[in-house]
Amino acid sequence: MIFDGHNDLLTRLWLSSAKDPVHEFLHGTLPGHLDFKRCRQAQWTGGLFSIFLPPYRYLQQHHPEKIKDPTATDFSSEQIIEICTAQLEIAQQLQLRSEGKIQICTSLSQIKSCFQHQQLAIVLHLEGAEVLACDPMLLDDFHKKGLRSIGPLWNRKSLFGDGLNATFPHSPDTGSGLTQQGKELVRTCARKGMIIDVSHMNERAFWDTAEILEGFHQPIVATHSNVHALCAQARNLTDSQLKAVKQSHGMVGINFDVAFLRSDGQRDPNTSIDTIIDHLSYLLEHIGEDHVGFGSDFDGCLLPLDLADVTYMPQLLQRMQQRGYSEALIEKMRFGNWLTLLEKIIH
Ligand SMILES: [Zn+2]
């Protein structure tokens, strides 16, 4: 079993040109890193599934069919709501049409039951909260439909804060912290029993969030970020951030994107799987074995060639074993630590 802190499947299915992407996921073979058959084969049994608003320019360039008004230069509020709602509905469709094989989970007991019955466990995550700036009431609506995790900021500026400028080499200190609305959003979501993800926060927003979460005794979670000391990408976590994650009893999910792994920061897939283990080992040494797991970024990243999709997970686990990780330690990283964390937060 593997529980994975981050993937972009829902966004990819929304972007897909297939006639019925949900059917393709369930019964066919999709291009990309994940489909049901391959997840099963790899015993990849669940994780945080992201609802994400892609950058407008990315859609213009790669998916112009998704832009309704070609004369516009940015999304309208209606479009933002439409895009995020559509991805949430894809998750619902996956559950509905899976004949009991996929479950949107809102509690630890549901996730455990999925593991027991070999179902795929989806915990819904919102990456970047722009949609809530368009309509704050949607938070309750999405929460009712299963949303249990939120990254208030993505790389761009929004009502909630500056976002993070993902550059290399650079410190995570790339702008201002959370706005008043951003702080209020973190408090509201913490009260609702949701994970607050700091993965796309610049350093000031990270510390703003850390301070608020301390008041709630809630762990700091970076669902898909790596070690800044090994790869000086602004998206990665400095030693003092890592220390704060540890002190809060939080988690770091290791991101498999080569640009967040490599010491030269290059988007070069010719990157050894061992680089992932180097980051894991650094975390083990610096924050201990209870705070580390996977946050693959499947379907949203450039993977190393020897980890071409989810079916290569057993090779990664085997390599961890060869590098001296015990079975008990590997089990914690596969799912144990994530489950312990989720038990503390989601309800
Ligand atoms: Zn991300």
Side-chain angles (χ1 to χ4, degrees):
M1 288 173 299
I2 295 169
F3 190 91
D4 185 336
H6 190 87
N7 75 76
D8 286 315
L9 172 77
L10 301 175
T11 310
R12 189 167 60 78
L13 293 183
W14 177 71
L15 287 170
S16 169
S17 56
K19 203 168 149 225
D20 185 353
V22 168
H23 179 89
E24 290 302 312
F25 176 85
L26 293 170
H27 305 289
T29 307
L30 279 175
H33 307 151
L34 302 167
D35 54 47
F36 189 75
K37 203 170 126 204
R38 281 183 283 162
C39 291
R40 236 198 200 163
Q41 190 190 329
Q43 296 192 317
W44 187 91
T45 37
L48 294 170
F49 285 63
S50 183
I51 295 166
F52 170 62
L53 179 72
Y56 192 77
R57 215 180 307 151
Y58 173 82
L59 290 189
Q60 275 181 320
Q61 280 169 8
H62 303 283
H63 298 275
E65 74 285 357
K66 295 286 180 190
I67 303 271
K68 290 209 169 131
D69 175 6
T71 62
T73 54
D74 205 349
F75 296 112
S76 66
S77 291
E78 288 74 24
Q79 272 179 309
I80 293 176
I81 293 171
E82 213 178 283
I83 291 169
C84 294
T85 307
Q87 292 180 33
L88 195 148
E89 283 169 3
I90 287 172
Q92 293 174 319
Q93 284 292 317
L94 286 171
Q95 171 172 302
L96 207 67
R97 294 167 61 189
S98 70
E99 296 162 346
K101 295 189 198 114
I102 300 178
Q103 187 73 44
I104 297 174
C105 296
T106 55
S107 69
L108 186 72
S109 58
Q110 273 182 319
I111 299 169
K112 281 187 170 165
S113 153
C114 279
F115 281 12
Q116 245 166 25
H117 299 102
Q118 295 193 313
Q119 294 167 307
L120 183 66
I122 293 181
V123 177
L124 287 172
H125 168 74
L126 182 62
E127 173 138 288
E130 282 87 347
V131 67
L132 302 178
C134 301
D135 180 1
M137 302 298 283
L138 276 177
L139 178 61
D140 279 343
D141 182 45
F142 280 19
H143 185 267
K144 268 195 209 107
K145 291 171 178 159
L147 188 73
R148 288 298 180 275
S149 175
I150 185 168
L153 305 179
W154 191 66
N155 296 355
R156 62 206 151 207
K157 192 178 173 76
S158 73
L159 177 69
F160 306 110
D162 258 4
L164 179 135
N165 190 4
T167 43
F168 179 94
H170 206 288
S171 88
D173 189 9
T174 70
S176 311
L178 295 173
T179 58
Q180 278 314 314
Q181 290 94 330
K183 289 179 183 170
E184 203 40 57
L185 180 64
V186 170
R187 281 188 209 104
T188 305
C189 292
R191 258 182 233 118
K192 284 174 106 59
M194 292 169 71
I195 292 170
I196 312 295
D197 181 17
V198 297
S199 266
H200 283 272
M201 287 191 181
N202 66 41
E203 193 164 4
R204 287 172 211 208
F206 174 99
W207 293 116
D208 287 344
T209 301
E211 193 184 327
I212 296 169
L213 292 182
E214 200 180 351
F216 286 90
H217 306 291
Q218 180 161 325
I220 303 168
V221 184
T223 62
H224 57 306
S225 292
N226 295 344
V227 175
H228 196 272
L230 300 182
C231 168
Q233 154 65 241
R235 273 273 280 101
N236 288 340
L237 299 160
T238 63
D239 287 353
S240 56
Q241 289 178 307
L242 290 174
K243 197 170 159 200
V245 170
K246 179 192 163 98
Q247 279 169 352
S248 77
H249 306 287
M251 275 284 294
V252 178
I254 281 288
N255 191 322
F256 300 166
D257 190 317
V258 292
F260 302 155
L261 289 167
R262 294 172 63 94
S263 59
D264 63 5
Q266 292 299 303
R267 285 181 62 77
D268 179 357
N270 199 1
T271 302
S272 163
I273 208 170
D274 273 294
T275 324
I276 295 172
I277 303 173
D278 296 340
H279 281 259
L280 286 173
S281 294
Y282 187 98
L283 290 173
L284 286 174
E285 198 180 306
H286 286 78
I287 63 173
E289 62 180 54
D290 296 331
H291 309 288
V292 188
F294 298 127
S296 69
D297 219 347
F298 280 137
D299 278 341
C301 74
L302 186 63
L303 291 171
L305 286 174
D306 53 0
L307 207 170
D309 70 8
V310 69
T311 58
Y312 290 74
M313 284 305 292
Q315 274 97 310
L316 176 63
L317 299 172
Q318 195 185 26
R319 191 74 192 114
M320 287 160 69
Q321 211 174 25
Q322 285 164 354
R323 296 246 317 233
Y325 291 26
S326 70
E327 270 312 307
L329 177 58
I330 293 173
E331 188 176 296
K332 279 181 155 188
M333 291 188 184
R334 277 196 290 126
F335 63 88
N337 287 341
W338 274 119
L339 297 201
T340 306
L341 177 100
L342 289 163
E343 188 171 28
K344 283 185 223 154
I345 302 177
I346 65 168
H347 51 77

